[in-house]
Structures are given as structure tokens and as C-alpha cells.
């Protein structure tokens, strides 16, 4: 009986010590409790300190726990939640419609851009074909010009040869033509030239001899 009283007295002392430590804002430890008690065995105080500390923590947790929600408040909260959900869904639906319209607009812009790209590619292909055709025509014109330059050079060469030939003929005329067997009448007369042949219309007449029918004599050069 005395042992039980001592245990009860020790438990009360430990509880009071823990309350004092908590009120002072100090940590509850076995050594702190023993200091307030003025001694004691760890074997006797430690289990009780642990037990009492756990009881106090459970009571504090129970005191902080929210009570069960009343039925009326639960119904009001459910109605508020439903209203909030519908409003949020309406806003989300409006955003989805706006996004869908924006997406369709972007798709149209993409299709237009692709069409423009195709048009630009066609124009590029046409430009490349025209450039190739112009390049071919330019090559043909260059070839024609080259052939013309060769022909002009050939004609210039022939013209120069012709001019040289003409100059040589003018500078060195041919020797006068003479008969192989001159007659007695031509003895002592100068050689007959081309010009003399043209002027001497009467080859059988000697120079200076008058012709009966002519009023004046025909002089030979």
C-alpha cells in the first residue's frame, strides 16, 4: 500500500515538474525532471516522464482537431462547391471556344502561308527556267559572235592579200607586147603599147601619114 502511494506521489511530482517546464518554455527531458525533483532513479522517472508527455501531446492534438462539420454547413459548402465548379467550367468552356477559334485562324494562316510558299516556289522555278533559257541564248550569241569574228578575220586577210596584189600590179606594170616577127613597115618604130593599140585605129598606116578622107592627121603618141 505504501509502495502504491509512493508511485502516485512520484507520478504527481513528475506531472507537476513537466507542467513547470512547459510553462517556463523549457524542453521536457528526464534530466530536467530529475533536477526539479531533486534526484531520483532514471529507472523510476523515465517511464513516467514518457507516459505523461505522451498523454499531454494526445490531449493537445485532440484539442486542436476540428469538430465534425454540421449538416447545414455541409449542404451550404456542397452548394457553393457546385456553383464554383459550374462557373469554372463555363469559364473553361469559353476559353476552349476562344482557343478553338484561334486555332482555326492559325490553321488558316498556315494554309495561306503554304499556298504562298507554293506560289513563290512556282515563280522561282519559272525564273530559273527563264534564266537557263537566257543563259543558253547568251551562249549561242557568244558562239555566233565568235564565228562572225573568225569570218571577219578571214575576210580581212583576203582583203589585205587583194590589196597587196593590186598595189603590186600598179607598181610593177606588165612588159609591152611585141610581135615575134615584125614587118618592114614597123621597122624603126617604137613598140606598140596597150594605149597605142587603143588609139591606133589604123594599124597599117604609119605614124604621121595623112589619111585622104580625114581633114587632119592622126598623131600617134
Amino acid at each position: 500500500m505504501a509502495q502504491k502511494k509512493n508511485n502516485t506521489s512520484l507520478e504527481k511530482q513528475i506531472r507537476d515538474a513537466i507542467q513547470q517546464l512547459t510553462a517556463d518554455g523549457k524542453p521536457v527531458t528526464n534530466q530536467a525532471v530529475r533536477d526539479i525533483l531533486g534526484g531520483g532513479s532514471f529507472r523510476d522517472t523515465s517511464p513516467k516522464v514518457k507516459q505523461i508527455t505522451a498523454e499531454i501531446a494526445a490531449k493537445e492534438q485532440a484539442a486542436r482537431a476540428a469538430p465534425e462539420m454540421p449538416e447545414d454547413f455541409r449542404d451550404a459548402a456542397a452548394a457553393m462547391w457546385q456553383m464554383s465548379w459550374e462557373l469554372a467550367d463555363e469559364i473553361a468552356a469559353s476559353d476552349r471556344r476562344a482557343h478553338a477559334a484561334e486555332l482555326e485562324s492559325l490553321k488558316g494562316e498556315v494554309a495561306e502561308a503554304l499556298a504562298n510558299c507554293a506560289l513563290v516556289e512556282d515563280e522561282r522555278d519559272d525564273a530559273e527556267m527563264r534564266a537557263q533559257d537566257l543563259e543558253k541564248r547568251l551562249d549561242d550569241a557568244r558562239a555566233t559572235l565568235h564565228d562572225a569574228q573568225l569570218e571577219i578575220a578571214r575576210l580581212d586577210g583576203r582583203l589585205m592579200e587583194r590589196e597587196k596584189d593590186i598595189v603590186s600590179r600598179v607598181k610593177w606594170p606588165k612588159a609591152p607586147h611585141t610581135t615575134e616577127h615584125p614587118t618592114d613597115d614597123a621597122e624603126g618604130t617604137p613598140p606598140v603599147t596597150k594605149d597605142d593599140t587603143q588609139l591606133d585605129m589604123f594599124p597599117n598606116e604609119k605614124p604621121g601619114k595623112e589619111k585622104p578622107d580625114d581633114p587632119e592627121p592622126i598623131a600617134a603618141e
Side-chain angles (χ1 to χ4, degrees):
M1 190 70 177
Q3 182 68 28
K4 183 177 181 181
K5 184 176 180 181
N6 290 335
N7 289 336
T8 303
S9 177
L10 180 59
E11 181 178 350
K12 184 176 182 308
Q13 292 176 3
I14 292 174
R15 193 178 296 275
D16 293 340
I18 291 174
Q19 291 179 354
Q20 182 179 348
L21 291 172
T22 303
D24 294 340
K26 296 179 181 180
V28 177
T29 62
N30 292 325
Q31 184 61 44
V33 172
R34 289 181 70 257
D35 292 340
I36 294 175
L37 295 178
S41 173
F42 279 104
R43 186 185 60 182
D44 296 334
T45 58
S46 293
K48 293 188 179 296
V49 169
K50 184 177 180 180
Q51 176 186 353
I52 295 170
T53 303
E55 291 178 359
I56 294 173
K59 290 180 179 180
E60 291 178 354
Q61 185 176 1
R64 288 194 303 268
E68 186 178 356
M69 182 181 298
E71 189 69 24
D72 295 341
F73 188 81
R74 184 183 294 109
D75 295 340
M80 186 177 297
W81 170 253
Q82 182 67 26
M83 186 181 300
S84 300
W85 172 260
E86 292 176 356
L87 180 61
D89 185 65
E90 183 178 355
I91 295 174
S94 178
D95 291 340
R96 286 194 296 269
R97 288 191 295 270
H99 292 162
E102 184 177 1
L103 182 60
E104 291 298 326
S105 177
L106 291 176
K107 288 181 179 179
E109 293 179 1
V110 170
E112 183 179 359
L114 292 176
N116 292 333
C117 289
L119 180 61
V120 171
E121 289 178 354
D122 293 339
E123 293 178 354
R124 181 202 60 192
D125 294 339
D126 293 340
E128 289 180 353
M129 293 180 63
R130 289 195 299 271
Q132 293 176 359
D133 181 65
L134 291 175
E135 188 69 24
K136 183 178 181 300
R137 292 172 61 184
L138 180 59
D139 293 339
D140 294 341
R142 287 173 177 170
T144 303
L145 177 60
H146 180 69
D147 294 340
Q149 289 174 344
L150 294 178
E151 182 66 18
I152 291 172
R154 187 181 67 82
L155 294 176
D156 286 342
R158 293 185 60 184
L159 181 60
M160 291 177 65
E161 292 178 357
R162 185 70 59 84
E163 289 177 351
K164 289 179 180 179
D165 183 60
I166 293 172
V167 169
S168 65
R169 290 184 181 183
V170 172
K171 187 174 181 181
W172 303 101
K174 292 182 179 180
H177 176 71
T178 59
T179 60
E180 295 180 357
H181 303 286
T183 61
D184 295 339
D185 295 338
E187 187 177 357
T189 60
V192 179
T193 64
K194 185 177 181 181
D195 294 337
D196 293 338
T197 304
Q198 292 177 354
L199 295 175
D200 189 3
M201 299 179 65
F202 303 97
N204 295 326
E205 298 294 335
K206 293 183 180 180
K209 185 178 180 180
E210 295 180 358
K211 190 175 181 182
D213 296 337
D214 293 337
E216 295 180 356
I218 299 175
E221 294 181 2

